[in-house]
Structures are given as C-alpha cells and as structure tokens.
Amino acid sequence: MSRIAYVNGRYQPHRTAAVHIEDRGYQFADGVYEVVPVQRGKLIDEDLHLDRLEFSLGELEIAPPMERRAFKFVLREVLRRNGIDRGILYMQVTRGVAPREHKFPLMARPALVITAKRLKPVPAQYLEEGVGIITIPDLRWKRCDIKTIGLLANVLGKQRAAEEGAYEAWQVDPEGHVTEGTSTNAWIVTKDRKIVTRPLGREILPGVTRRALLALLQAENFVLEERSFALSEALAAAEAFLTSSSVFLLPITNIDGEKVGDGRPGDFSKRLRQLYLDHAARQVSAA
Ligand code: PDD
C-alpha cells in the first residue's frame, strides 16, 4: 500500500506531496505539531493530543484549521488510507503561505499536513538492557510548553546523542536540573521508591504519555513527586526512564557513561511500561 498524505484538504501520494516555498512553517518554523500513537489501527489518547494542539495554536494565535469533529474524521481517513496498524500519526499546522515578512500576514489561511507512518515494535534490546543517554545544556527558548515545529536545539541534541552512541540527550537547565529529553519526558525513581518527574511549566512539553502515566500511577497509589530533580540526583537514582508517544516508556540504564542503579532495567520501569500498554490496550478494545 503506498503512503498517502493529507495536504490542505487533499489526499496526495506521500512521495510527491508538497507545500509552497513560502509556507511560514518552512521559512519561520511558524507552526505547531502533534504525534499521536496508533495501536491496532486506533489512535491512543486522541483527545489529549487535540487538546494540546488547540493550546499550542492558541498560544501562537493561529486559528484551528477545522473543528474537532472534522479533524477526527480526517485523522481516521489518513489512517485508513495508509492501512496503519501500529505506528504514529503526524499532524502539523502552520500559519500558512504568505510573502516572507516576520509579522503575522493579514490573509494567510492555516496550512494543515497529516501523515501516517508504520513503526516497528521497540527493539527488544531497549527493553531488556535499557538505553543510554547523555546530558547537554538546555539551549531552547522559554516556551517549551508549546509544541512548535521549531526544534533546532532538539535536533542538535539528538544528533549529539547519536554521535556518542546514546539513545537520547537529557537537557539540563542553568541550575543543574533536568528539564526533559529532546523528544521525550524525563523521570527517575529514587532509592526510597518515589517516582519523580519535573512539574509542568514553560520549561517542558506537557507530554501526553507523561500525563496518562501520572493518572495511572495515582490510581495505583504509587508515591509521586512532581518536582525538579538535579542531574546528580538522577545519577544516584535507583531507576530512570523516558516517555513519549512513539516509544511509550523506555528504561534508562546509563547516563553520561555512568550506570543507573545496577545498570539493568528496574522493576518500576517494567511495571510502568506495562501499565501504560494496558491503558493503550483498553482504548483499543473500547474503540
Ligand atoms: N516528541 N518532550 C519533547 C520535547 C517532545 O518532543 C516530546 C514528544 C515529549 C513527549 O510527549 P508525548 O508523550 O506527548 O509524546 C516530551 C514527539 C514524539 C516527537 O517530536 O516526535
């Protein structure tokens, strides 16, 4: 089945789908995006993603390209036309096409692109051995709570991680506290079994996986602390892990070349990954 992309009202072959050279996303990164997981052909936590998209659009004063019901219809249509069983759906809204000038154009209509991608299961090695990460200074702007397509610092960070043979880079603020990964939220489990993740604020993306997992943890009576943690605390933690829509939850067993805990994925990471998978499976069977 060849891939199909949705571009401003049209379903086009993915290979040749294109937007105009003066799209403000291309010229200014003036746009926002979402990545929604797909399991057994169903979107997971769809409304939470659409809520965040609305928030991001609102913060940038970009009008939603369509109302939510229509949006949901198009998302399903893209999934159907691509025959996606397991993967991700990507959607991007920019301020639209206009002659290049920094201030908002008077006439531009928001541009919407939606694509779908099949994903292989997370490699067993990541789950059995965990992944290694590096740490880098957080060079991003002061509104990381908006899911904008302006991801240059994230791109550079992920590239550095790859060059150093690591899976991800945790970004560290000037106070020495971990903000988040370049495309994932950051968590630790302390030696006294508290699960810690940075509170929401302008320094991190309000991850949908983070939010879903927090609700599951509360329901299961885990001890949670939403607070900043220092890199030194992460290095001394019993466990560390990361979350995102594309990998759900991966154990981190190495930070900057130092073992986390005993260097093996811990029980919390395994249990919490399963909790999240069960949560996704419930949505699939309810849909
Ligand atoms: N990344 N932090 C950042 C900076 C992110 O880019 C992401 C998501 C997350 C996790 O958020 P969520 O749980 O809603 O996926 C945290 C997506 C997957 C990406 O850019 O591909």
Side-chain angles (χ1 to χ4, degrees):
M1 192 180 251
S2 55
R3 289 178 76 189
I4 299 293
Y6 174 95
V7 185
N8 295 323
R10 292 216 180 93
Y11 296 95
Q12 302 183 354
H14 189 280
R15 226 166 16 91
T16 50
V19 294
H20 193 273
I21 55 168
E22 286 201 304
D23 186 286
R24 289 177 64 93
Y26 181 55
Q27 293 191 322
F28 294 114
D30 188 1
V32 302
Y33 76 106
E34 279 296 325
V35 175
V36 188
V38 179
Q39 292 279 295
R40 293 177 184 259
K42 299 287 184 305
L43 295 158
I44 306 300
D45 289 328
E46 179 184 19
D47 277 303
L48 296 181
H49 284 279
L50 292 176
D51 288 347
R52 187 172 63 187
L53 183 69
E54 266 172 28
F55 168 78
S56 299
L57 288 168
E59 292 304 292
L60 300 190
E61 298 175 46
I62 298 175
M66 58 178 79
E67 55 138 288
R68 189 173 289 216
R69 270 188 43 189
F71 224 119
K72 288 186 167 183
F73 176 82
V74 177
L75 296 181
R76 277 159 188 68
E77 192 56 21
V78 173
L79 274 190
R80 193 183 68 75
R81 288 183 187 234
N82 286 280
I84 301 289
D85 182 50
R86 178 183 50 231
I88 51 168
L89 205 130
Y90 176 83
M91 59 186 117
Q92 169 172 317
V93 184
T94 70
R95 202 180 301 279
V97 175
R100 186 181 181 281
E101 209 184 316
H102 288 64
K103 66 179 190 291
F104 295 175
L106 289 176
M107 296 299 287
R109 265 216 329 252
L112 171 61
V113 170
I114 307 172
T115 58
K117 186 163 92 177
R118 197 162 287 127
L119 284 186
K120 294 200 180 81
V122 168
Q125 192 192 351
Y126 290 175
L127 303 176
E128 285 156 16
E129 296 173 15
V131 297
I133 64 163
I134 59 166
T135 59
I136 55 173
D138 196 336
L139 301 179
R140 300 173 302 163
W141 74 327
K142 295 188 170 67
R143 289 304 308 274
C144 297
D145 55 326
I146 306 173
K147 197 163 174 62
T148 80
I149 57 174
L151 291 172
L152 194 48
N154 309 55
V155 165
L156 295 176
K158 191 76 102 187
Q159 176 61 21
R160 241 192 80 192
E163 284 167 3
E164 298 191 20
Y167 179 82
E168 175 62 300
W170 272 6
Q171 302 167 106
V172 179
D173 69 17
E175 285 73 48
H177 293 128
V178 174
T179 54
E180 60 182 337
T182 64
S183 65
T184 55
N185 286 115
W187 306 68
I188 56 170
V189 182
T190 62
K191 292 213 163 103
D192 56 354
R193 307 166 80 78
K194 291 180 180 136
I195 301 171
V196 184
T197 195
R198 190 171 175 119
L200 296 185
R202 293 185 165 189
E203 305 78 24
I204 64 167
L205 185 80
V208 169
T209 321
R210 173 191 180 283
R211 177 167 159 174
L213 188 62
L214 279 178
L216 294 166
L217 295 179
Q218 265 149 8
E220 299 277 330
N221 291 321
F222 282 91
V223 184
L224 286 176
E225 286 185 356
E226 278 187 81
R227 62 167 173 83
S228 294
F229 59 87
L231 178 56
S232 54
E233 196 180 353
L235 288 167
E239 296 183 33
F241 60 90
L242 55 83
T243 56
S244 84
S245 294
S246 35
V247 293
F248 302 148
L249 184 158
L250 290 184
I252 294 169
T253 45
N254 193 296
I255 301 178
D256 288 334
E258 308 261 339
K259 270 188 202 170
V260 180
D262 64 0
R264 312 274 317 148
D267 290 341
F268 275 82
S269 305
K270 288 183 203 154
R271 277 171 68 196
L272 305 189
R273 181 178 168 86
Q274 193 55 49
L275 263 187
Y276 183 85
L277 292 177
D278 294 344
H279 157 79
R282 279 195 296 278
Q283 288 189 28
V284 171
S285 50

